[in-house]
Amino acid sequence: MKNLFLWACCLFTNFSFAQDVSLALQKKPDITPAQLSAQWAKVNKSVNVSFASASKRFAQELPPAIQQNSIWTASAWKGEKVHTQLLVWAKTEVNNVTVSVSDLKGSSGSLIKKNAISTGFVQYVMTDEFRDGCGYRKPQNFDSSKVADIINVDLKSIQVKKNTTQPVWLSIKVPADCQPGIYSGIITVTADKKYMLNVNLNVVDKTLPPPSEWSYRLDFWQHPLAIARVHQLQPWSEAHFAMMRKYYTMLADAGQKIITTSIVNEPWGHQTYDDFPSLIKWTKKKNGEWIYDYSLFDKYVAFVMSCGIKKQINCYSMVPWKIAFTYYDEAEGKEVVFTQAIGTPAYNEFWKTMLTDFTAHLKQKGWFEITTIAMDERPMPAMQAVIKLLKSIDTGWKVSLAGDFHPEIEKDIFDYCVASRWKYPDDVLQSRKKQNKISTWYTCCAEKYPNAFTFSPPEEMVWMGWYTAATGMDGYLRWAFNSWPKAPLTDSRFTAWPAGDTFQVYPGALSSIRFEKIIEGIQDFEKIQLLRKEYQSRQQTAKLNKLEAALKTFEIKYLEVVGAEATVAQAKSLLNE
């Protein structure tokens, strides 16, 4: 650890390491009511308004320890979304706080119109702590606190209570056809009076493609019945599909490539708060014939594609967490559960009939080439048996796997996602790229960092995009996009796993600091790929070497000492030169 610390100090000379290491290695002690009162007594004015870093979560009960600033200066590519926070903190109660924006005017007379600028009041939810990571937990056994995460763009005004801080998230989506140059505008915060804050945005003469064209393989698993539950809608009703569109369009705009489908009931053994039923109805006729109703599967897949997510269909799973496959048996007049072990003759016969029929159906729909049978953290012998069976049905079947790296089956996996503790051997990664295979990584309840829990430092999500580029991988997977606990708008904790582990956005299709930061990291990944190509084609070796040197600082082992915020800040300026 000592050598690692010295390395970090030498590399990042522009940062305060005492502060970074303190934040990374020490838990901030609880603050007593008397200490809180003393902190607020130091605030000079009754109401304060300032820009602040988008890389921090600000405590609701404390005045922010920042230098007040009424000017935000930023740089962006055409087509990029950039953001910051502004804060209102008050010693007295302030009712009806509002935020309004103006057009941003360029020096040549061009505009970034205000409809490209959004503001959202940041709201607080209960969170807990990592401690042991995975495993069932009781809330009373873990330190809990309120944390800033929800970005509520639907709120038009808010009350700022006495001795509290209210963050506001500000985003600018730069139009792809924007003229390069400096754009300026005004953000008006109305509280006890009007506060005018200035925005100066430098639009760089480079263009980021739209999310549909991003190369980054984002795979956030979707949970359709969670949406039905929180909105009190009949599952699979037209109202349910209409509500899902808001979420899935939001996910497509983040660059999502993959449709999560369940072809059996509860492929994850019902670890989630909501049911996860099969999209395919399995029926065994009285005469022993099997029939498979794909109508809901077809409707769902076509629907998600219409939202802009259409690169791949992952089917979960022939290897569920609990070997229990439900079907309707006409002879018995009830649902029956098949439990024979993977690889047995009975299992192979059970699946062979289904896979033969499913293969023909997918080919008829034109979906076979983009469909995979997906597996999640299952034992290797089980996976080997499934791969063998799949290839016996049709050699064109593709397999997705999220789990440990297994050299024994690597060549058989089209879409391979390894846990963060693994790295692909260089020769394997290059071979996979040549074969157009997908190689990604994931985090879950097991990793303290980097991660996307509600208590995770926001810049870790940006860091993950850089890490993907640094390692040569194609993207990132996370369980899950919207598998909510009981009351996610107030409490992000769950009966198992650290808070926020199962979702990145909130009911009402509300974004979060975490989700916006993940998108920022993906944008950085895309910019890195474009700059690499540009520097290589133009033989700008010095610039390329500088970028590659910065990427070498993105190692998981450095995070505990240096922290994501410092690492990202040091490297990020290279993208806008």
Side-chain angles (χ1 to χ4, degrees):
M1 179 63 73
K2 182 179 179 182
N3 290 336
L4 189 60
F5 177 76
L6 290 174
W7 173 92
C9 288
C10 293
L11 184 62
F12 292 94
T13 55
N14 295 330
F15 296 94
S16 171
F17 288 96
Q19 182 181 29
D20 288 333
V21 174
S22 176
L23 290 172
L25 301 181
Q26 299 179 21
K27 183 179 184 300
K28 188 176 73 174
D30 292 333
I31 298 176
T32 66
Q35 289 171 322
L36 277 174
S37 296
Q39 291 275 17
W40 280 103
K42 296 177 183 177
V43 176
N44 293 326
K45 297 195 300 180
S46 293
V47 180
N48 300 267
V49 178
S50 176
F51 281 118
S53 171
S55 302
K56 300 182 183 298
R57 301 182 191 275
F58 292 92
Q60 188 176 35
E61 301 84 3
L62 285 169
I66 64 169
Q67 182 175 350
Q68 287 190 241
N69 188 0
S70 61
I71 302 174
W72 176 45
T73 301
S75 295
W77 287 23
K78 295 179 287 184
E80 184 181 3
K81 180 165 68 171
V82 292
H83 42 240
T84 190
Q85 289 189 95
L86 59 89
L87 304 177
V88 179
W89 64 103
K91 296 174 71 172
T92 59
E93 187 171 288
V94 185
N95 293 311
N96 199 36
V97 174
T98 62
V99 181
S100 60
V101 301
S102 72
D103 295 337
L104 303 184
K105 297 180 180 180
S107 55
S108 63
S110 55
L111 294 177
I112 296 177
K113 294 187 177 180
K114 61 183 179 182
N115 59 8
I117 307 170
S118 66
T119 61
F121 291 107
V122 178
Q123 296 179 293
Y124 290 78
V125 294
M126 290 298 295
T127 190
D128 53 22
E129 58 179 335
F130 181 79
R131 198 186 295 177
D132 300 321
C134 303
Y136 284 82
R137 50 178 62 196
K138 295 180 180 179
Q140 62 268 27
N141 295 335
F142 290 79
D143 285 346
S144 297
S145 60
K146 289 191 294 183
V147 67
D149 197 46
I150 305 172
I151 300 173
N152 195 333
V153 295
D154 295 333
L155 278 178
K156 302 308 177 187
S157 66
I158 201 166
Q159 179 191 58
V160 178
K161 295 182 179 179
K162 179 181 178 181
N163 290 350
T164 63
T165 296
Q166 176 59 58
V168 180
W169 195 263
L170 171 68
S171 290
I172 302 173
K173 183 69 171 72
V174 182
D177 60 354
C178 186
Q179 294 294 316
I182 304 294
Y183 289 78
S184 301
I186 301 294
I187 309 298
T188 303
V189 178
T190 303
D192 58 322
K193 63 179 183 179
K194 289 186 183 295
Y195 297 82
M196 315 294 279
L197 292 87
N198 298 292
V199 173
N200 292 320
L201 181 67
N202 176 31
V203 177
V204 179
D205 193 14
K206 296 183 186 296
T207 303
L208 189 70
S212 60
E213 297 177 17
W214 290 350
S215 61
Y216 196 91
R217 298 283 295 204
L218 180 64
D219 185 10
F220 278 171
W221 295 353
Q222 308 103 52
H223 196 160
L225 258 61
I227 296 172
R229 187 254 304 178
V230 299
H231 292 285
Q232 300 181 342
L233 300 171
Q234 180 66 33
W236 315 122
S237 64
E238 292 308 309
H240 181 205
F241 275 96
M243 185 59 68
M244 282 195 291
R245 185 170 295 279
K246 297 180 181 179
Y247 294 92
Y248 288 43
T249 302
M250 181 183 188
L251 185 54
D253 287 342
Q256 174 75 14
K257 300 293 188 293
I258 299 169
I259 304 170
T260 308
T261 66
S262 51
I263 59 172
V264 298
N265 283 336
E266 301 301 339
W268 294 280
H270 213 304
Q271 298 180 81
T272 54
Y273 187 86
D274 296 288
D275 293 342
F276 219 118
S278 176
L279 294 168
I280 299 171
K281 184 178 180 180
W282 301 48
T283 302
K284 187 176 183 180
K285 304 285 286 183
K286 289 181 180 179
N287 63 2
E289 177 189 359
W290 284 92
I291 58 172
Y292 308 94
D293 183 353
Y294 302 111
S295 56
L296 180 55
F297 177 90
D298 293 349
K299 182 177 180 179
Y300 180 76
V301 169
F303 161 77
V304 181
M305 287 182 170
S306 75
C307 296
I309 303 169
K310 56 183 71 174
K311 195 78 173 180
Q312 188 170 310
I313 306 164
N314 281 5
C315 299
Y316 293 90
S317 174
M318 292 175 64
V319 193
W321 283 50
K322 181 180 179 182
I323 307 304
F325 303 111
T326 304
Y327 64 93
Y328 184 78
D329 191 314
E330 283 191 349
E332 297 192 31
K334 63 179 182 180
E335 289 196 335
V336 176
V337 180
F338 179 88
T339 59
Q340 295 296 309
I342 294 171
T344 62
Y347 174 93
N348 288 344
E349 184 62 30
F350 179 80
W351 273 100
K352 184 176 182 180
T353 305
M354 189 275 177
L355 288 171
T356 301
D357 194 77
F358 193 34
T359 302
H361 179 75
L362 289 168
K363 288 183 176 181
Q364 187 271 325
K365 296 292 293 184
W367 295 340
F368 182 69
E369 293 298 322
I370 63 168
T371 300
T372 76
I373 294 296
M375 299 180 284
D376 174 28
E377 297 179 336
R378 299 296 82 210
M380 190 173 66
M383 295 185 291
Q384 288 174 315
V386 166
I387 292 167
K388 182 179 179 180
L389 177 59
L390 276 170
K391 297 301 183 180
S392 74
I393 301 299
D394 193 302
T395 57
W397 264 111
K398 295 182 177 71
V399 176
S400 292
L401 170 63
D404 291 340
F405 180 73
H406 299 287
E408 300 88 342
I409 61 173
E410 176 273 319
K411 289 181 172 60
D412 296 314
I413 308 299
F414 166 73
D415 180 358
Y416 206 156
C417 184
V418 296
S420 68
R421 63 182 176 274
W422 291 94
K423 281 188 178 180
Y424 295 93
D426 289 341
D427 60 331
V428 171
L429 191 59
Q430 293 307 313
S431 176
R432 293 184 62 81
K433 287 182 182 296
K434 290 178 182 178
Q435 298 174 71
N436 293 318
K437 291 180 177 178
I438 307 303
S439 309
T440 61
W441 68 293
Y442 73 93
T443 59
C444 63
C445 57
E447 292 92 347
K448 185 175 183 179
Y449 52 81
N451 223 312
F453 306 123
T454 43
F455 54 78
S456 296
E459 219 63 10
E460 284 188 12
M461 286 117 248
V462 184
W463 188 97
M464 291 190 284
W466 282 81
Y467 178 72
T468 307
T471 54
M473 291 187 284
D474 300 313
Y476 172 75
L477 176 154
R478 193 71 173 80
W479 167 265
F481 178 57
N482 68 304
S483 192
W484 293 305
K486 183 178 181 180
L489 286 169
T490 55
D491 195 340
S492 68
R493 296 172 298 177
F494 191 44
T495 56
W497 317 308
D501 184 65
T502 63
F503 66 99
Q504 299 299 314
V505 299
Y506 288 86
L510 299 178
S511 190
S512 68
I513 291 177
R514 294 176 292 152
F515 191 59
E516 294 302 312
K517 283 292 182 177
I518 283 168
I519 295 171
E520 180 183 338
I522 296 171
Q523 290 183 148
D524 285 354
F525 174 93
E526 296 298 319
K527 292 164 78 172
I528 291 165
Q529 307 313 311
L530 291 169
L531 288 174
R532 276 172 162 164
K533 292 178 182 178
E534 178 184 322
Y535 295 158
Q536 288 167 356
S537 66
R538 296 183 178 181
Q539 297 183 329
Q540 294 175 312
T541 307
K543 287 187 174 182
L544 180 61
N545 290 343
K546 193 174 181 181
L547 179 59
E548 297 298 342
L551 286 166
K552 285 183 171 61
T553 67
F554 288 83
E555 288 275 3
I556 291 174
K557 63 184 178 182
Y558 302 147
L559 274 175
E560 185 175 5
V561 175
V562 180
E565 185 177 348
T567 310
V568 170
Q570 181 76 2
K572 207 173 181 64
S573 60
L574 299 176
L575 301 183
N576 297 320
E577 290 182 345

